Amino acid sequence: MRRTTLRAAVAVVTAGMTLTACGSDDGGSGSGGSGSDWATATSAEDGGGMDALVEAAKAEGELNVIALPPDWANYGEMLETFSEKYDIEINSASPDGSSQDELNAVESQRGQDRAPDVLDLGTAFARQAQGQDLLAPYKVETWDDIPEGQKDADGHWFNDYGGYLSIGCNATIVGKCPTSFEELLDPRYAGQVALNGNPTQAAAAFGGVWAAALSNGGSLDDIGPGIDFFAELKDAGNFNPVESTPATIDSGETPIVLDWDYLNASYTEDLASAGTTWEVAVPSDGLFGSYYSQAISKFAPHPAAARLWQEFLYSDEGQNIWLKGGARPVRLPAMEDAGTADADALAKLPTVEGSAEFPTEEQETAAKQVVNERWNAEISG
């Protein structure tokens, strides 16, 4: 359940419509053989340039990542391409962990060689990590392409890829698939509607609750109706408490799944080869989008490799890998203007009707508090 909450609408709506260095010290391992202290470098230029960064990262030879399943937003290709390109071994821990699991690991493994170097988080969790002083500021070379509002001004975190909350449905089991939140209450969907994780810890599930709020009289200032909706769904017998995973989807245990569109869409081909029809719809009555944010641990044991990883993710090559996975990369508008976006991948993005709503930091913080206070007591309890 590597789940975590598309921020300012520009990138999404535009696209939618159309681990050997010693890490014993708290501040990271340092130079990696380059002569620069990459643990404190806030840009490649600050550390001596990209060539120096590549040299230092290769000298470290490893990168520790956490909560990155290969089938999430094309992470498999992203990890493999980076590893081969720079001859850096990637140590992947807890691929099905949540954003909160990532923050817990940064704190509990601080000073250890196995501690996470980099983080992929829902934006609310990225802000939480910044508030806990867990992140190292860094600005990638393509920083200016990341829209304002989708990055911390000092580079503690910055949005990367995202999508819209969608309804994935096993039509082979369900028959007529729902395309709106209202339809999810139909008795025909008894015991079939699941979330990707627990919304108190996972942004995908958190997004599902917020989308439900928007479709039931709520707003970005009031997520309460979303919890009310799931209470009603539970009382009707339609809510499936099993947290969805690729395995539960493959087995048919969770035939209807509320999740990001790029994740739901990623199941289509494999399920089709197994004789299952999987349909994906972005509900117009609860249109909600979200980006995931990237960040570098302040205590990264491989600080150069951590920074090189970020540079790769935000390069045209990295951004197009997201796009091939059906996710909308944050630099997409700039890449479209420059003609560097993968046109074929862009054309395959799910159709979205209308304009998504995007929460401010204050709204996100307030909503998270409400969900933390009510969800386990009223829905999971």
Side-chain angles (χ1 to χ4, degrees):
M1 311 169 251
R2 183 244 169 277
R3 346 288 186 194
T4 308
T5 305
L6 271 194
R7 308 265 336 129
V10 177
V12 178
V13 172
T14 300
M17 301 298 180
T18 57
L19 164 296
T20 40
C22 174
S24 60
D25 113 26
D26 283 349
S29 62
S31 69
S34 71
S36 296
D37 187 358
W38 287 101
T40 58
T42 58
S43 67
E45 183 179 2
D46 190 31
M50 277 299 298
D51 289 343
L53 177 57
V54 171
E55 180 185 358
K58 287 184 173 182
E60 291 175 350
E62 299 181 60
L63 176 73
N64 296 349
V65 302
I66 183 171
L68 303 183
D71 54 359
W72 177 284
N74 211 18
Y75 252 122
E77 182 176 346
M78 190 73 77
L79 293 164
E80 182 178 358
T81 303
F82 176 81
S83 182
E84 292 182 354
K85 184 182 183 75
Y86 297 110
D87 193 23
I88 292 175
E89 179 182 354
I90 296 179
N91 305 305
S92 180
S94 305
D96 290 324
S98 68
S99 289
Q100 187 61 55
D101 291 333
E102 295 184 59
L103 301 190
N104 294 344
V106 172
E107 294 192 286
S108 67
Q109 297 170 11
R110 177 173 173 173
Q112 300 178 31
D113 287 343
R114 67 191 182 99
D117 287 306
V118 292
L119 304 169
D120 176 305
L121 305 157
T123 305
F125 292 87
R127 290 189 174 114
Q128 177 183 334
Q130 181 182 1
Q132 295 174 225
D133 197 24
L134 301 180
L135 308 180
Y138 185 79
K139 295 183 180 181
V140 294
E141 289 195 318
T142 54
W143 179 258
D144 289 344
D145 285 351
I146 305 174
E148 296 300 326
Q150 299 194 47
K151 56 189 177 184
D152 167 59
D154 295 320
H156 289 90
W157 57 266
F158 22 100
N159 289 340
D160 193 4
Y161 63 91
Y164 293 98
L165 200 289
S166 68
I167 301 173
C169 173
N170 185 330
T172 304
I173 294 176
V174 173
K176 181 181 182 298
C177 288
T179 59
S180 69
F181 278 91
E182 182 180 12
E183 289 181 84
L184 294 176
L185 292 167
D186 192 309
R188 73 170 68 206
Y189 303 127
Q192 296 184 330
V193 185
L195 281 171
N196 183 347
N198 183 307
T200 65
Q201 299 188 28
F206 183 66
V209 175
W210 219 335
L214 295 178
S215 71
N216 286 275
S219 68
L220 295 184
D221 291 310
D222 183 14
I223 198 172
I227 300 176
D228 295 338
F229 172 82
F230 278 94
E232 183 178 0
L233 198 68
K234 178 182 178 181
D235 290 342
N238 288 13
F239 182 59
N240 184 341
V242 175
E243 297 178 359
S244 73
T245 67
T248 65
I249 290 172
D250 288 343
S251 69
E253 186 177 8
T254 55
I256 299 176
V257 177
L258 297 176
D259 206 347
W260 303 124
D261 58 350
Y262 54 91
L263 297 182
N264 270 330
S266 70
Y267 303 126
T268 304
E269 291 187 8
D270 287 344
L271 288 172
S273 65
T276 296
T277 299
W278 181 255
E279 299 179 0
V280 181
V282 176
S284 59
D285 65 339
L287 189 57
F288 183 84
S290 176
Y291 277 106
Y292 278 81
S293 303
Q294 300 292 338
I296 298 171
S297 170
K298 183 177 181 179
F299 317 109
H302 312 105
R307 285 155 176 78
L308 183 59
W309 170 250
Q310 302 297 349
E311 293 288 357
F312 178 70
L313 294 182
Y314 290 85
S315 67
D316 285 352
E317 183 176 10
Q319 295 281 285
N320 273 319
I321 291 176
W322 296 135
L323 191 56
K324 287 170 61 180
R328 294 163 173 83
V330 74
R331 292 186 53 241
L332 184 55
M335 290 171 63
E336 287 185 279
D337 288 345
T340 57
D342 185 320
D344 291 337
L346 183 60
K348 294 178 181 178
L349 292 178
T351 300
V352 175
E353 296 181 2
S355 299
E357 297 194 49
F358 301 85
T360 64
E361 179 177 358
E362 293 74 16
Q363 291 171 325
E364 206 165 55
T365 299
K368 194 166 184 284
Q369 181 177 346
V370 172
V371 171
N372 287 344
E373 291 173 350
R374 294 185 55 190
W375 182 264
N376 290 336
E378 299 180 28
I379 312 299
S380 297

